[in-house]
């Protein structure tokens, strides 16, 4: 008879059950199974750049391997990478950030866990948006942190507002607020004034402000603003995965207020020691690959236009503003009120993999879906052709 540790503890079992599946990854798994069976699938489900990491990144990694020794680094990351990230904030945003405030992490995912552990205790209340990145909610559930959902409203441009934060805090005190710009699943951005207002509301209330900025660099009409420009105490989460096309390299960073640096360092020492050495060396080179990366972004811009032109003709007319990232978050109420079933049938019958809105919004996501346009132009055109034929 096998032993199941979860069965020995009702508390553990309850915690596991609170963490919902990451539906985008479930769709990816089902799509991969179809492909193994010989079926054709257009992948529009995951937020993964279709392009490889830049040549400079790959060459830096090869050179690191040729040195022969790949070891640990300091828990907060290589000094050279932390200094280069600090320079990036000066060059891109005109914001001075000391390298000592930067923690290099194993992807933004590890950054979230480190930051949340350093800031919040079980039972604390943290506000996030709906729709929003599902891993936020799932990590908080695993840590015993209470999630406070702030629904995004069309009248507000589908962004979190200081007004909504103050209202949630007045109802019952918050310990933190997490905002994302450009957002996942929509790409919608919060402007400079909106970020400043959020920072002010959090400072006045004495609560942590976390700004997820992993899609910075991927904007189409105006550059994204960092929350640090208005709030030097904001906790910034960023990553090399999206703009820099380094998803599988698992490398990201945090910008921390001084009081959180040592707690994050101590946690990192025990949780994973350090981010991978090769990925850190390669990440330094990523900052010098702008020309190549801008060509890749121009491809996303073309894909974005393909979707924005095609979807209304298919009958999908309501969507959040696609200011950045590489997603369209669309209302499909005309076709279904069960996005999970809709996306399953669309994969099975049309060979299009997309993520049901329930992944991002447990309340209104039943009539939404997210389409990623991070793949090739040919994929996007074929996806729209298949979708039009399927909805016919």
């Amino acid at each position: 008879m096998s032993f199941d540790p979860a069965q020995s503890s009702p508390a553990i079992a309850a915690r596991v059950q609170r963490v919902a599946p990451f539906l985008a990854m479930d769709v990816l798994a089902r799509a991969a199974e179809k492909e193994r069976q010989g079926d054709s699938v257009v992948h529009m489900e995951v937020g993964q750049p279709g392009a490889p990491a830049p040549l400079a990144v790959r060459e830096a990694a090869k050179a690191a391997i040729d040195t022969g020794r790949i070891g640990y680094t300091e828990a907060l990351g290589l000094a050279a990478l932390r200094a280069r990230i600090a320079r990036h904030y000066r060059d891109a945003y005109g914001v001075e950030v000391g390298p000592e405030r930067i923690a290099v992490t194993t992807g933004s995912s590890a950054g979230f866990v480190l930051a949340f552990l350093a800031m919040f205790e079980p039972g604390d209340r943290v506000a996030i948006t709906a729709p929003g990145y599902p891993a936020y909610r799932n990590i908080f559930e695993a840590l015993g942190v209470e999630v406070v959902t702030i629904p995004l409203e069309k009248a507000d441009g589908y962004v979190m507002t200081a007004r909504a934060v103050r209202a949630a805090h007045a109802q019952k005190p918050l310990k933190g607020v997490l905002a994302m710009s450009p957002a996942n699943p929509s790409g919608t951005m919060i402007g400079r004034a909106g970020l400043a207002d959020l920072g002010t509301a959090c400072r006045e209330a004495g609560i942590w402000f976390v700004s997820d900025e992993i899609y910075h660099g991927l904007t189409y009409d105006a550059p994204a603003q960092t929350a640090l420009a208005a709030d030097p105490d904001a906790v910034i989460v960023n990553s090399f995965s999206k703009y820099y096309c380094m998803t599988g390299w698992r490398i990201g960073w945090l910008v921390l207020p001084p009081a959180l640096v040592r707690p994050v360092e101590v946690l990192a020492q025990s949780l994973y020691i350090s981010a991978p050495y090769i990925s850190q060396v390669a990440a330094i080179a990523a900052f010098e690959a702008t020309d190549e990366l801008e060509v890749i972004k121009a491809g996303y811009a073309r894909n974005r236009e393909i979707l924005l032109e095609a979807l209304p003709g298919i009958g999908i007319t309501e969507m959040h503003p696609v200011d950045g990232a590489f997603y369209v978050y669309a209302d499909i109420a005309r076709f279904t009120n069960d996005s999970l079933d809709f996306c399953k049938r669309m994969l099975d019958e049309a060979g299009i993999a997309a993520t049901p809105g329930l992944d991002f919004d447990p309340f209104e996501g039943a009539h939404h879906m997210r389409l990623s346009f991070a793949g090739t132009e040919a994929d996007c055109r074929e996806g729209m052709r298949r979708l039009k034929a399927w909805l016919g």
Side-chain angles (χ1 to χ4, degrees):
M1 180 176 179
S2 63
F3 173 62
D4 183 351
Q7 291 181 357
S8 69
S9 170
I12 292 175
R15 183 179 66 202
V16 172
Q17 291 171 0
R18 286 198 304 269
V19 178
F22 197 160
L23 296 179
M25 301 309 296
D26 284 350
V27 174
L28 176 63
R30 289 198 296 272
E33 177 61 28
K34 283 182 65 67
E35 288 177 315
R36 285 192 291 271
Q37 295 171 359
D39 295 333
S40 169
V41 175
V42 176
H43 288 276
M44 307 186 80
E45 75 276 37
V46 293
Q48 176 163 256
L55 179 61
V57 168
R58 289 175 275 144
E59 292 296 334
K62 291 176 184 176
I65 291 173
D66 288 341
T67 66
R69 185 177 184 275
I70 306 300
Y72 298 134
T73 74
E74 301 149 81
L76 291 176
L78 289 171
L81 178 54
R82 297 169 73 198
R84 187 61 185 87
I85 292 170
R87 178 182 150 195
H88 169 69
Y89 279 89
R90 182 176 66 251
D91 294 347
Y93 308 105
V95 173
E96 293 292 334
V97 176
E100 69 280 358
R101 292 179 53 194
I102 292 164
V104 179
T105 61
T106 307
S108 61
S109 299
F112 288 126
V113 173
L114 290 170
F116 296 166
L117 284 170
M119 290 186 289
F120 307 124
E121 298 178 2
D124 283 345
R125 303 175 78 246
V126 180
I128 64 173
T129 63
Y133 181 50
Y136 301 152
R137 182 181 300 274
N138 294 341
I139 295 170
F140 283 136
E141 292 285 4
L143 296 178
V145 173
E146 182 182 347
V147 173
V148 178
T149 302
I150 294 181
L152 298 180
E153 305 290 346
K154 184 175 183 178
D156 296 323
Y158 293 112
V159 298
M160 179 183 278
T161 66
R163 182 186 70 256
V165 168
R166 290 189 175 98
H169 187 63
Q171 186 174 28
K172 187 176 179 181
L174 300 171
K175 188 65 178 291
V177 168
L178 198 167
M180 187 183 206
S181 176
N184 179 5
S186 64
T188 304
M189 287 201 302
I190 306 172
R192 182 187 295 271
L195 284 171
D197 288 346
L198 283 171
T200 298
C202 289
R203 283 196 307 276
E204 291 175 349
I207 57 183
W208 292 110
F209 178 32
V210 183
S211 180
D212 181 342
E213 302 181 355
I214 73 170
Y215 290 98
H216 276 216
L218 294 178
T219 62
Y220 302 105
D221 296 315
Q225 306 294 326
T226 178
L228 289 172
D231 184 1
D233 291 325
V235 174
I236 307 300
V237 184
N238 211 322
S239 172
F240 290 91
S241 290
K242 308 302 182 180
Y243 177 71
Y244 299 98
C245 301
M246 295 177 68
T247 48
W249 299 73
R250 307 315 300 133
I251 189 80
W253 74 86
L254 298 169
V255 182
L256 301 162
L260 287 181
V261 173
R262 181 58 177 165
V264 165
E265 181 180 25
V266 170
L267 287 164
Q269 289 169 346
S270 292
L271 288 177
Y272 62 83
I273 300 180
S274 67
Y277 172 83
I278 290 177
S279 297
Q280 293 192 57
V281 171
I284 297 171
F287 287 108
E288 312 311 319
T290 302
D291 289 347
E292 185 176 348
L293 293 168
E294 286 298 303
V295 171
I296 294 169
K297 186 173 80 170
Y300 300 148
R302 290 192 296 273
N303 293 348
R304 172 179 178 262
E305 290 305 314
I306 290 169
L307 266 65
L308 293 181
E309 289 176 7
L311 289 170
I314 298 172
I316 298 174
T317 58
E318 290 293 323
M319 59 196 77
H320 292 209
V322 189
D323 303 319
F326 32 55
Y327 308 114
V328 172
Y329 190 65
D331 190 327
I332 52 173
R334 174 179 175 181
F335 304 101
T336 187
N337 199 33
D338 185 347
S339 60
L340 194 61
D341 175 72
F342 182 87
C343 288
K344 182 179 184 300
R345 289 189 293 108
M346 187 168 68
L347 176 58
D348 291 342
E349 299 167 12
I352 306 167
T355 306
L358 284 171
D359 214 11
F360 313 101
D361 186 346
F363 308 103
E364 298 294 327
H367 56 89
H368 286 83
M369 72 173 174
R370 187 193 72 177
L371 295 165
S372 169
F373 53 84
T376 66
E377 180 176 339
D379 282 343
C380 289
R381 292 192 184 280
E382 176 62 10
M384 293 300 96
R385 186 196 67 78
R386 292 187 186 190
L387 184 60
K388 183 177 182 179
W390 184 60
L391 292 176

